């Protein structure tokens, strides 16, 4: 029986979920887990010591050392062997405070639903990774009780999943969306209804009536939108987005 590991706190999701070599070199993609990514971010990007990183992630310093060594080895293999890299999975929980853009809006009740729609002038914006606004609907007992439009501040791709999670959103309605962002939403515990177009208010009403026309196989066709290297997503992370959502 494998040893159970302690959930590692991470501040959010990466902006990209994969990297590919410029030439088409065959070989399985290397998987860097979210907690390994977070370790590298805190140590190498933010300049923390291992002790500081351990406190931030809620683990022992020896755990940080092991994750960091594993992450560096994987990145070295990616560079030396010319292999693709995907970022997914890991035994993590999210340590995201409520987004500033959502502060001041109605407090979400325990049994309420919060729906976000990619939004542009009353319509559903069709490219998730480039959306500048979401319209957010709070639903209680099957009825909309509050609506508000929030600005994404130019965030894109995977960062938007963390943005929505920070706003305690549990359902997203959108148009086109790339595979990396879909994986991020899944990690964050946000249900996705993609491939929807037309009036935003009408789509939410249809959703609540059980009549929303959506595409469960939706992919973004916008050139260059949310390009990722593959779909090697780990299903074994124990806590995922549900621990902190």
């Amino acid at each position: 029986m494998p040893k159970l590991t302690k959930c590692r706190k991470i501040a959010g999701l990466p902006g990209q979920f994969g990297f590919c070599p410029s030439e088409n070199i065959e070989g399985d993609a290397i998987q860097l887990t979210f907690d390994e990514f977070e370790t590298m971010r805190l140590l190498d990007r933010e300049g923390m010591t291992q002790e500081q990183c351990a406190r931030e992630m809620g683990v022992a310093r020896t755990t940080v050392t092991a994750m960091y060594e594993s992450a560096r080895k994987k990145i070295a293999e990616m560079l030396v062997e010319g292999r693709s890299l995907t970022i997914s999975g890991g035994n993590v929980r999210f340590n995201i405070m409520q987004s500033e853009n959502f502060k001041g809006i109605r407090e979400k009740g325990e049994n309420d639903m919060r729906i976000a729609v990619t939004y542009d002038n009353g319509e559903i914006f069709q490219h998730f990774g480039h959306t500048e606004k979401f319209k957010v609907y709070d639903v209680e007992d099957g009825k909309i009780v509050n609506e508000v439009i929030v600005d994404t501040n130019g965030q894109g791709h995977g960062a938007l999943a963390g943005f929505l999670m920070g706003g305690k959103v549990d359902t997203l309605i959108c148009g086109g969306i790339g595979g990396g962002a879909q994986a991020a939403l899944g990690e964050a515990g946000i249900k996705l209804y993609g491939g929807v177009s037309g009036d935003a208010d009408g789509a939410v009403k249809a959703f609540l009536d059980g009549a929303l026309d959506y595409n469960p196989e939706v992919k973004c066709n916008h050139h260059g939108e949310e390009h990722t290297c593959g779909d090697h997503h780990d299903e074994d992370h124990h806590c995922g987005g549900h621990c902190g959502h």
Side-chain angles (χ1 to χ4, degrees):
M1 182 176 179
K3 179 182 177 182
L4 292 178
T5 58
K6 184 177 181 181
C7 262
R8 292 86 185 261
K9 293 189 294 184
I10 63 174
L13 293 163
Q16 300 293 332
F17 296 88
F19 298 90
C20 298
S22 59
E23 298 180 11
N24 186 20
I25 300 176
E26 294 184 359
D28 293 335
I30 294 170
Q31 182 195 11
L32 188 73
T33 60
F34 287 133
D35 42 351
E36 290 172 337
F37 174 88
E38 181 75 349
T39 303
M40 293 203 70
R41 184 185 73 83
L42 294 175
L43 294 177
D44 293 336
R45 174 69 188 277
E46 302 301 325
M48 289 187 182
T49 65
Q50 290 199 3
E51 287 78 8
Q52 290 171 326
C53 179
R55 286 196 297 271
E56 189 77 10
M57 297 183 71
V59 297
R61 186 189 61 78
T62 52
T63 301
V64 167
T65 301
M67 288 191 294
Y68 185 60
E69 290 177 351
S70 174
R72 290 185 59 146
K73 185 175 187 296
K74 290 177 179 180
I75 290 175
E77 289 175 352
M78 176 192 73
L79 295 173
V80 173
E81 299 175 15
R83 293 165 63 185
S84 300
L85 179 81
T86 62
I87 308 173
S88 66
N91 184 14
V92 300
R93 63 186 175 94
F94 296 90
N95 187 29
I96 302 176
M97 300 300 292
Q98 179 164 310
S99 169
E100 291 292 331
N101 300 63
F102 287 87
K103 287 187 176 178
I105 71 171
R106 176 182 180 273
E107 184 70 22
K108 183 183 177 185
E110 183 178 347
N111 298 317
D112 291 356
M113 175 186 294
R114 179 162 288 171
I115 304 169
V117 181
T118 52
Y119 189 78
D120 181 34
N121 195 30
E123 300 287 306
I124 298 171
F125 187 68
Q126 289 300 297
H127 305 300
F128 173 79
H130 294 292
T131 191
E132 296 181 356
K133 297 180 187 298
F134 288 105
K135 188 167 184 180
V136 179
Y137 305 77
D138 284 340
V139 178
E140 184 179 313
D141 296 326
K143 297 180 181 179
I144 298 171
V145 295
N146 191 59
E147 303 174 16
V148 65
I149 297 171
V150 297
D151 201 309
T152 66
N153 292 328
Q155 298 183 75
H157 296 193
L160 287 175
F163 176 85
L164 293 173
M165 189 180 156
K168 299 183 180 180
V169 169
D170 42 52
T171 302
L172 171 69
I173 297 173
C174 67
I177 182 169
Q182 290 184 47
L185 292 168
E187 298 284 354
I190 298 173
K191 295 180 180 178
L192 170 66
Y193 297 85
V196 184
S197 60
D199 180 68
D201 292 349
V204 174
K205 183 178 184 302
F207 171 76
L208 295 176
D209 290 341
L212 179 66
D213 183 16
Y214 71 100
N215 178 9
E217 305 298 327
V218 66
K219 298 291 182 185
C220 189
N221 295 319
H222 185 62
H223 180 69
E225 173 90 3
E226 301 183 64
H227 174 72
T228 58
C229 300
D231 295 317
H232 304 275
H233 301 301
D234 185 3
E235 300 295 335
D236 294 329
H237 67 286
H238 302 293
C239 295
H242 301 286
C243 283
H245 190 53

